[in-house]
Amino acid sequence: MNVTTLSRRHFLRGSTATTAMLAVANPGLAEVKRPADPFIETLIGRMTLEEKVGQLSIFQDTARTGNLTLNPTPAMLASLDQVKRDIAAGAVSGYFNGLGVARARELQKVAVEQSKHKVPLLFAADVIHGLRTVFPIPLGEAASFDPELARRTARAAAVEATSQGLHWTFAPMVDVARDQRWGRVCEGSGEDTFLGATMAAARVKGFQGESLRNEDSLLACAKHFAAYGAVEGGMDYNQADISELALRQIHLPPFQSAFDAGALTTMASFNTILGVPSTGNRYLLTEILRHQMAFKGFVISDYNGDAELVEHGYAEDEADAALKAISAGCDMSLQSGLYRKHVPALVRAGKLKVAVLDEAVRRVLHVKKALGLFENPYRSLDERREKANIRQTVTLAREAGRKSCVMLKNDSALLPLPKTGKKIALIGPFGADKANCTGAWAGFGDIQTCVPLADGLRAVLGDNLVVVKGCAVEKPLEGGIDAAVAAAKAADVVILAVGESNAMSGEAASRTDISLPASQLQLAEAVAATGKPTVVVLKHGRAIALSGALKKADAILCAWFLGSEEGNALADLIFGDHAPQGRLPVSFPQLPGQEPYYYDHPSSGRPQTGKDASFKARYRDASFEALYPFGFGLTYAQLAYGDTSVSKPFISKSEKLLVSVSIKNTGTVAGHEVAQLYIRYKSASIVQPIRQLKGFQHVDINPGQTVNVRFEISAADLAFVHADFESVADPGKFEVWIAPSAAAGSAATFEMSAR
Ligand code: BGC
């Protein structure tokens, strides 16, 4: 027998999150003060109040092409002349969501030649998962469980963005999202804190590269601080009514991970936490963020977030809102113009100390300096790079697409399909659709060059492919079902491309029902009635509640929104040139009404563990289990896990425990496995989740080969936030699994002593 031993060291593959950081605690630390910088202090000393607030104000980039035109406001519609006058007056710190080097140079020239203090502009944009070349949505990419892939795609996005006249991205989005009704699940890494923290660090490193001063380094902004993913009922912008313990244990660690990886900006979230809007929450933005998390950069509001304090009923008018936001620690105002309008008067009236304003300006200037902008204001504004670096990353987009796809089902080994000899009907609203390859956040994506599924399949099948739409995304098409049924009958295999459109997830796109629209369900039923073997290719920005023919289909591939190379990436998997290897970063519920649903919930006193369902924690119409659990995903190989074992039954608090499992490839094709380490407290002073992810390893296993996978566990991995917000491990008994998902595997047990 061929046995290989692999350790966590070898296979964490760039994972930089350590569980030691996975709880935000340590109250009472002082803010990390940086040494005074004479250059910056002199600059601040010379600025008027108006020039200072100029450094704290950023606006939609109306002067450059490629700008998104969501909700144009009067400020957005300012003329180019006005923009230049503002820059010359030192009344603006930067612009966001525009592209183009020539115009950016023109504006920067005004800043450094005509404004009194020559402070360079910052050009920002929402570069969330690629610029022109679009990579899988972040949720999809999280399904790769591959932080190194996330680093590489973020790096590629940064190279492209910095060559198109950008310095700063409003990414990564690191909100932990446990309610699939929330539309913005698609922008982050899903429901798990450990996976989220791991991906957060990788993306920051990718965006920022080796040094922030480099021409191709894109300043990262971890957003949205904080607990935006915990909005009640999954409705966007709603309140987050969560305990501070949950805030620290679940929602803050990915931010800490992003800051530790070097992110120098963060964005205040729209929501309230326990009644206080983040933008005006001094405890959150100063006590926790700066004093306890040691954040060294600056905070930007979300779009009009400071002005919204009025609508929240937290500030009586705009001036009060500006006062509350800046006093709380929100350094820069995004789009509202409120700071510009009110802060000088607030200082003059003695309502705001000039020291508070100066500190915010200092933070912004430090970041501009860290980017090297004072030495080279034209960094990342190079017309040669602009021409050379556009869309260089198509191969990476295809690789990322493949690795992000999750195979949920493959009955009778329907997949992979043969490349020849079969007639295939591609049915559904997304088959030939380029526009919905990208997902919600790809405002700059080059839609024309996107490869839809039909093109990817046709490249292999040629004439053996028939493409029929069948229905529109949310409504029937006249004669659509008849055409689809006829095509299915004439084919050997059906590929059903159904799901959500770009617009059905993302900001302000929460849904009460996370099933597919009725028109698509009807199409699926009609096609299923033909009895033809069917592969469902699902497009989605969240977990979907599958039912009927979709659930019963022979094979199901979760394709999220895979980006520019979607069709080619899927064809690579469908025809077996590569095998699926993605794992669910969000649990798929049985029914929409199970939301919020996440795997790492605490146990009730009446869990339904066996068949007996009476008086158990479950629904009348659904058990507590997921339809497909977190971490789940099939591949083409047959892999068998042995029992989890531990190196010893007892450890002291300072000892390390070795946990191992053997995985055997019992089939005939090579396999790629994502082995996952989970733990559970048998008893803890605060009830802990039934399982928690603590690590994962990627392992390649050849046919017939058995591989031993090992993880090391120490007290730091077992720590959780206690009532006093200290993060420590309780002594006691534990269960531990190395498993292919959050709902599989055999547990081993161990005990940790108090010292
Ligand atoms: C979103 C942010 C985004 C900002 C700027 C807001 O509506 O919540 O995520 O970065 O707009 O485009």
Side-chain angles (χ1 to χ4, degrees):
M1 192 170 61
N2 178 5
V3 178
T4 316
T5 297
L6 304 160
S7 74
R8 177 179 184 170
R9 253 188 116 127
H10 289 111
F11 286 96
L12 267 177
R13 296 220 305 198
S15 163
T16 45
T18 67
T19 43
M21 73 169 70
L22 284 184
V24 171
N26 303 325
L29 290 183
E31 177 176 354
V32 184
K33 289 274 179 219
R34 47 187 124 55
D37 181 313
F39 170 76
I40 289 175
E41 296 310 317
T42 309
L43 205 52
I44 294 175
R46 289 184 182 145
M47 285 176 159
T48 62
L49 289 178
E50 282 70 18
E51 288 161 347
K52 286 177 185 172
V53 290
Q55 286 309 311
L56 308 183
S57 305
I58 183 164
F59 298 95
Q60 188 100 25
D61 196 336
T62 51
R64 295 200 289 168
T65 54
N67 56 316
L68 302 170
T69 48
L70 294 168
N71 311 321
T73 64
M76 267 178 69
L77 300 171
S79 69
L80 178 58
D81 284 349
Q82 183 59 50
V83 165
K84 288 186 175 173
R85 278 198 295 277
D86 282 352
I87 299 171
V92 63
S93 196
Y95 291 97
F96 70 96
N97 283 346
L99 282 188
V101 166
R103 178 59 55 78
R105 288 185 75 91
E106 192 182 329
L107 301 182
Q108 195 69 298
K109 193 165 168 6
V110 177
V112 297
E113 291 182 12
Q114 293 178 34
S115 79
K116 196 161 86 197
H117 305 293
K118 309 186 185 333
V119 181
L121 296 167
L122 259 181
F123 292 108
D126 289 286
V127 183
I128 311 293
H129 51 114
L131 190 80
R132 296 289 196 215
T133 306
V134 183
F135 299 106
I137 57 167
L139 182 65
E141 192 181 66
S144 72
F145 273 61
D146 187 344
E148 177 54 14
L149 178 73
R151 189 199 63 77
R152 287 164 64 212
T153 60
R155 185 87 290 272
V159 169
E160 208 177 274
T162 55
S163 69
Q164 308 303 306
L166 294 171
H167 304 122
W168 181 20
T169 175
F170 297 145
M173 193 272 227
V174 303
D175 299 315
V176 175
R178 307 174 133 209
D179 190 327
Q180 301 303 309
R181 290 172 295 181
W182 191 44
R184 302 196 78 169
V185 171
C186 63
E187 294 176 49
S189 295
E191 72 190 39
D192 182 64
T193 299
F194 179 86
L195 181 62
T198 308
M199 290 308 217
R203 288 182 172 134
V204 169
K205 290 191 170 160
F207 285 134
Q208 298 195 164
E210 293 294 309
S211 157
L212 264 183
R213 304 175 75 78
N214 290 351
E215 181 83 358
D216 64 2
S217 170
L218 190 64
L219 174 66
C221 178
K223 71 185 188 185
H224 307 81
F225 195 79
Y228 189 30
V231 285
E232 198 171 81
M235 189 184 76
D236 211 1
Y237 314 128
N238 208 358
Q239 64 169 340
D241 194 19
I242 57 164
S243 71
E244 188 167 341
L245 217 108
L247 173 72
R248 289 172 183 269
Q249 180 75 33
I250 297 160
H251 299 281
L252 295 186
F255 286 94
Q256 186 72 70
S257 175
F259 303 149
D260 292 347
L264 276 185
T265 69
T266 186
M267 184 181 281
S269 59
F270 284 129
N271 55 285
T272 59
I273 304 173
L274 296 172
V276 184
S278 300
T279 318
N281 191 335
R282 188 175 159 78
Y283 180 58
L284 181 72
L285 297 187
T286 298
E287 281 303 307
I288 294 182
L289 178 64
R290 295 191 180 278
H291 296 188
Q292 294 167 22
M293 298 177 78
F295 174 65
K296 299 188 196 67
F298 72 81
V299 179
I300 181 168
S301 76
D302 203 338
Y303 197 106
N304 278 336
D306 46 0
E308 289 173 16
L309 297 184
V310 178
E311 202 63 55
H312 274 298
Y314 188 74
E316 62 194 33
D317 55 24
E318 287 193 342
D320 191 30
L323 177 63
K324 285 187 168 137
I326 194 165
S327 307
C330 176
D331 303 302
M332 187 179 274
S333 164
L334 180 77
Q335 189 61 23
S336 72
L338 236 59
Y339 282 16
R340 224 159 65 168
K341 224 159 119 191
H342 298 290
V343 166
L346 287 167
V347 175
R348 288 192 180 104
K351 291 187 179 163
L352 178 71
K353 287 195 183 123
V354 75
V356 174
L357 171 62
D358 285 357
E359 180 55 19
V361 177
R362 188 173 290 122
R363 289 170 184 153
V364 171
L365 295 180
H366 267 281
V367 172
K368 287 191 172 181
K369 192 171 178 204
L371 285 167
L373 279 168
F374 286 105
E375 283 154 49
N376 178 13
Y378 297 100
R379 61 146 285 183
S380 310
L381 306 180
D382 174 345
E383 278 167 310
R384 273 168 316 165
R385 279 190 72 227
E386 184 180 39
K387 289 193 187 76
N389 280 342
I390 196 86
R391 289 189 51 79
Q392 298 273 307
T393 46
V394 175
T395 323
L396 178 58
R398 185 166 179 163
E399 178 192 340
R402 281 196 301 264
K403 290 182 171 171
S404 301
C405 192
V406 184
M407 185 163 74
L408 295 183
K409 205 174 170 191
N410 192 20
D411 286 356
S412 317
L414 176 60
L415 290 173
L417 299 178
K419 290 182 179 174
T420 53
K422 295 263 187 224
K423 283 198 179 124
I424 296 192
L426 172 61
I427 296 173
F430 298 106
D433 175 31
K434 288 184 180 202
N436 286 295
C437 288
T438 58
W441 252 133
F444 301 109
D446 188 348
I447 304 295
Q448 281 325 307
T449 54
C450 282
V451 181
L453 182 54
D455 293 6
L457 296 177
R458 197 172 286 114
V460 176
L461 294 169
D463 291 344
N464 277 337
L465 180 73
V466 172
V467 183
V468 177
K469 202 166 172 189
C471 66
V473 177
E474 292 183 272
K475 52 178 195 254
L477 280 181
E478 182 136 10
I481 290 203
D482 291 346
V485 167
K489 283 185 176 157
D492 299 306
V493 177
V494 173
I495 298 179
L496 195 61
V498 287
E500 297 183 307
S501 62
N502 290 347
M504 288 169 74
S505 63
E507 186 172 349
S510 295
R511 300 178 65 207
T512 55
D513 182 355
I514 58 167
S515 315
L516 292 197
S519 59
Q520 297 189 55
L521 296 178
Q522 280 155 15
L523 176 69
E525 295 301 334
V527 169
T530 66
K532 289 295 161 94
T534 299
V535 180
V536 169
V537 175
L538 203 59
K539 311 254 318 179
H540 46 129
R542 54 164 62 81
I544 296 292
L546 297 168
S547 61
L550 293 178
K551 191 166 148 184
K552 290 190 214 130
D554 306 276
I556 306 174
L557 288 173
C558 288
W560 321 101
F561 298 93
L562 293 181
S564 301
E565 285 290 295
E566 180 165 283
N568 287 332
L570 284 167
D572 287 344
L573 302 176
I574 287 172
F575 300 110
D577 289 338
H578 294 265
Q581 65 179 63
R583 300 307 177 104
L584 288 180
V586 280
S587 311
F588 270 50
Q590 303 170 53
L591 290 169
Q594 282 177 289
E595 294 297 329
Y597 189 95
Y598 45 92
Y599 82 97
D600 55 336
H601 58 83
S603 179
S604 72
R606 295 182 174 189
Q608 191 200 337
T609 43
K611 285 216 158 43
D612 179 10
S614 53
F615 294 93
K616 299 294 185 194
R618 53 164 289 148
Y619 297 97
R620 199 155 181 272
D621 49 354
S623 67
F624 206 82
E625 283 92 47
L627 179 64
Y628 291 107
F630 175 87
F632 180 80
L634 300 172
T635 183
Y636 292 146
Q638 303 300 315
L639 303 174
Y641 275 67
D643 292 337
T644 307
S645 65
V646 288
S647 52
K648 43 186 154 180
F650 297 96
I651 54 165
S652 71
K653 247 188 169 166
S654 55
E655 272 180 301
K656 287 185 172 14
L657 181 78
L658 216 57
V659 187
S660 55
V661 81
S662 65
I663 310 173
K664 181 168 188 189
N665 185 338
T666 57
T668 53
V669 294
H672 182 93
E673 178 61 358
V674 182
Q676 301 153 42
L677 175 74
Y678 293 96
I679 61 125
R680 180 185 183 180
Y681 269 86
K682 297 285 277 181
S683 83
S685 52
I686 294 175
V687 172
Q688 292 298 295
I690 56 166
R691 279 202 197 193
Q692 270 183 301
L693 184 70
K694 293 292 175 184
F696 51 84
Q697 295 181 27
H698 287 255
V699 191
D700 289 310
I701 315 175
N702 290 321
Q705 190 187 13
T706 299
V707 158
N708 278 328
V709 177
R710 294 186 307 173
F711 290 87
E712 239 175 34
I713 290 186
S714 68
D717 298 298
L718 306 171
F720 63 91
V721 181
H722 286 63
D724 58 2
F725 304 142
E726 284 294 346
S727 183
V728 287
D730 281 358
K733 290 186 176 150
F734 297 85
E735 285 180 304
V736 58
W737 298 255
I738 303 176
S741 83
S746 77
T749 54
F750 68 94
E751 194 168 341
M752 186 176 71
S753 60
R755 320 162 155 263

